[in-house]
C-alpha cells in the first residue's frame, strides 16, 4: 500500500509540474516572436512526453497488478523461498537458483503467461529490472492474446 501511495503522490507532483511547464510554454508562444514561439513549442513538447510516459507506466502497473491478482486467485503466485541476508536483502545465490528454475519453466512453456510472470518476479529478485520489465510485458501480451 505504501508503494501505491508513493506512486500516486509522485504522479500528482509530476502532473503539477507538467501544468506549470505547459503554462510557461503557452506564455512564451503568446510573446509572438520567432524565438519565443520556437522555445514555447519546445517547452510544450516536454510535458507531452512526460504525460505519455506517465500514462504508459501507469497502464503497465495496472496490467501487472491485474495479472498478479488473477494468478493469486488461481493459487499460482510464486512462493517466496529466497534466503535473506542479516540485513534483509535477498541472497544473490538463492535468487540465482530460483531464477534458473523459473527460466527452465518458461523455456518448457513459452506461451504460458503465468510462467513469464513468475520469470519476471525472479528477474526482479535477481535485481535485473530491465529484463524483469520485458518479461512482464511478455506476460501481459500473452495474457491479452497479442
Amino acid at each position: 500500500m505504501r508503494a501505491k501511495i508513493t506512486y500516486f503522490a509522485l504522479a500528482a507532483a509530476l502532473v503539477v509540474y507538467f501544468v506549470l511547464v505547459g503554462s510557461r510554454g503557452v506564455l512564451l508562444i503568446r510573446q509572438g516572436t520567432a524565438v519565443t514561439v520556437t522555445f514555447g513549442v519546445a517547452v510544450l513538447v516536454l510535458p507531452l512526453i512526460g504525460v505519455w510516459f506517465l500514462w504508459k507506466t501507469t497502464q503497465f502497473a495496472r496490467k501487472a497488478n491485474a495479472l498478479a491478482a488473477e494468478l493469486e486467485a488461481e493459487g499460482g503466485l510464486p512462493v517466496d523461498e529466497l534466503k535473506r541476508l542479516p540485513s534483509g536483502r535477498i541472497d544473490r545465490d538463492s535468487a540465482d537458483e530460483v531464477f534458473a528454475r523459473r527460466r527452465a519453466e518458461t523455456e518448457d512453456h513459452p506461451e504460458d503467461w503465468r510462467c513469464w510472470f513468475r520469470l519476471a518476479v525472479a528477474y526482479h529478485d535477481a535485481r535485473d529490472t530491465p529484463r524483469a520489465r520485458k518479461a512482464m510485458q511478455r506476460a501481459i501480451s500473452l495474457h491479452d492474446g497479442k
Side-chain angles (χ1 to χ4, degrees):
M1 188 63 176
R2 191 171 120 200
K4 285 183 181 181
I5 292 170
T6 302
Y7 180 80
F8 286 115
L10 289 174
L14 276 173
V15 168
V16 169
Y17 174 75
F18 297 151
V19 169
L20 291 173
V21 170
S23 68
R24 295 296 176 193
V26 170
L27 289 174
L28 284 169
I29 291 170
R30 284 186 181 166
Q31 289 291 319
T33 67
V35 173
T36 60
V37 169
T38 304
F39 280 134
V41 170
V43 167
L44 284 177
V45 168
L46 295 175
L48 292 176
I49 292 170
V51 166
W52 173 83
F53 182 76
L54 183 61
W55 174 255
K56 294 301 270 184
T57 303
T58 302
Q59 290 300 101
F60 175 78
R62 284 185 52 236
K63 289 178 181 180
N65 286 337
L67 290 186
E70 186 174 333
L71 203 54
E72 182 179 28
E74 295 175 358
L77 276 180
V79 178
D80 185 4
E81 54 190 314
L82 298 169
K83 296 175 187 163
R84 309 239 180 229
L85 299 173
S87 64
R89 296 187 93 191
I90 295 172
D91 178 55
R92 181 73 176 188
D93 294 333
S94 175
D96 290 343
E97 179 184 317
V98 171
F99 171 78
R101 286 198 318 258
R102 298 294 182 218
R103 186 180 59 204
E105 175 188 29
T106 305
E107 289 171 353
D108 290 341
H109 306 285
E111 297 304 315
D112 187 1
W113 68 266
R114 294 161 188 87
C115 294
W116 282 97
F117 182 94
R118 289 188 283 267
L119 181 64
V121 172
Y123 270 127
H124 183 266
D125 291 340
R127 296 188 195 115
D128 191 347
T129 305
R131 287 189 179 143
R133 187 171 181 86
K134 287 184 181 184
M136 187 60 73
Q137 287 170 339
R138 177 77 175 139
I140 290 168
S141 66
L142 285 171
H143 181 268
D144 293 345
K146 295 178 183 176

